[in-house]
Amino acid sequence: MDDSLLPTPERLVAWRHDFHRHPETAFEEHRTGARIAELLRQAGLEVVTGLGGGTGVVAILDGRRGPGRAIGLRADIDALDVEEANDFSHASTIPGKMHACGHDGHTTMLLGAAYALAADPDFAGRVYFIFQPAEESEGGGRVMVEEGLFERFPMEAVYGLHNWPGLAVGEAAVHDGAVMAAFDVFTLRLSGHGCHAAMPHLGSDTILAACQLVSQLQGLVSRETPPHQSAVLSITQFHAGDAFNVIPETVELRGTLRCFDGELRAYLERRFRQAVEALAGFHDLRVELDYQSRYPATINAPEHAARCAGVLETLPGVSRVHRDLPPSMASEDFAFMLEACPGAYIWLGNGVESAALHNPHYDFNDAIAPLGVAYWQALVTTLLDD
């Protein structure tokens, strides 16, 4: 064993804080990708760069026991367009950008696992360490799959994880099926004839129509979604008007629609379009609708979920493995990888006092990094045990 490669807690903290200070968002992770590649090469791994639109990295490690099966371990590397509110020494140095979802920690844990396994590759077969860009809404996972990730790096399974605020340190959650929801976004413009606010009968009231639509669309969830299934529709932006005494010509609405079931997803999109067209027709408005299906649902393969849970239950640092937590309505583009290759995605507790994901006060909990490294290392040595 090469002790110089051991991922000590101090080394993990140094890596993580460096990534946190220098956040980069979707497909712009040039420094991040270069630093990941540099560290992997220092550990003696074979490294492939320029993936996933240019900033993704894959490292390859073969076990000392000879040929065998291959698996992939994935970490996301991008940050968010969020202004950090923390004032600690490792706070973001890039205005308007921060690691508000813990991808700096995910990257660090996978780097630590690469170092630990390189120091003692006591397994048969091959591991691919996948560092994926652009998870946050831009589909870097989809890009990697479309570029031929699984053809270029053949593997029988792929695994991912995410830190989870509200879940205690030392606890984990593993789902046998759905983990995260599918994610659609929409931009809707309603246009008519603007008019004086004192004479609404001379125009078409886009504000009234848009307000009715906001309420009406909720019926797709409350009255058209089966009660045993989950869906959520959120209007997150409402842009209209510039004056007190003018009914504006145009209103723009933006939002998201999420669910788990593919058939329900298609049904809700169809009914969404019908509701918009019908209401616009009633109010004599023109419609421009940009509806985009972004991410599919993240669905674990039950047998792979069971393997992950079994490994977690053997780790000294894990006090509890939840098997019955409800899935999250948030979304994750690891879903594209799970559609192309079986595997599983777990949650690792970031602490009950942790700020929520995507919050400007959030910070990845450095205390869980060694546990993440231990999990990845144990998963590899368990699954690739000849």
Side-chain angles (χ1 to χ4, degrees), residues 295-373:
Y295 295 177
T298 304
I299 308 293
N300 283 345
E303 63 273 23
H304 292 279
R307 294 171 189 173
C308 293
V311 168
L312 286 163
E313 288 165 351
T314 68
L315 298 180
V318 174
S319 59
R320 183 178 180 184
V321 180
H322 297 267
R323 300 305 308 278
D324 57 354
L325 292 188
S328 171
M329 296 307 296
S331 303
E332 162 64 69
D333 80 343
F334 188 63
F336 290 106
M337 294 190 183
L338 289 180
E339 282 192 331
C341 181
Y345 181 85
I346 72 156
W347 297 343
L348 199 61
N350 199 57
V352 294
E353 301 298 325
S354 171
L357 300 175
H358 295 208
N359 183 293
H361 294 280
Y362 169 86
D363 191 34
F364 178 85
N365 189 340
D366 287 318
I368 73 170
L371 182 57
V373 172

Side-chain angles (χ1 to χ4, degrees), residues 19 63 71 86 102 149 170 181 191 199 210 213 251 253 286 313 348 372 374:
F19 289 128
I71 62 172
N86 298 308
L149 174 70
S191 301
M199 293 168 273
L213 187 60
V251 173
L253 305 177
R286 299 183 302 279
E313 288 165 351
L348 199 61

Side-chain angles (χ1 to χ4, degrees), residues 186 188 213 217 220 233 235 257 267-277 289 291:
F186 54 85
L188 168 66
L213 187 60
L217 287 173
L220 298 180
L233 190 156
I235 305 295
L257 181 59
Y267 173 83
L268 291 175
E269 178 184 351
R270 184 173 70 254
R271 292 289 292 138
F272 183 100
R273 293 179 181 276
Q274 290 172 350
V276 170
E277 291 289 345
L289 175 61
Y291 191 103

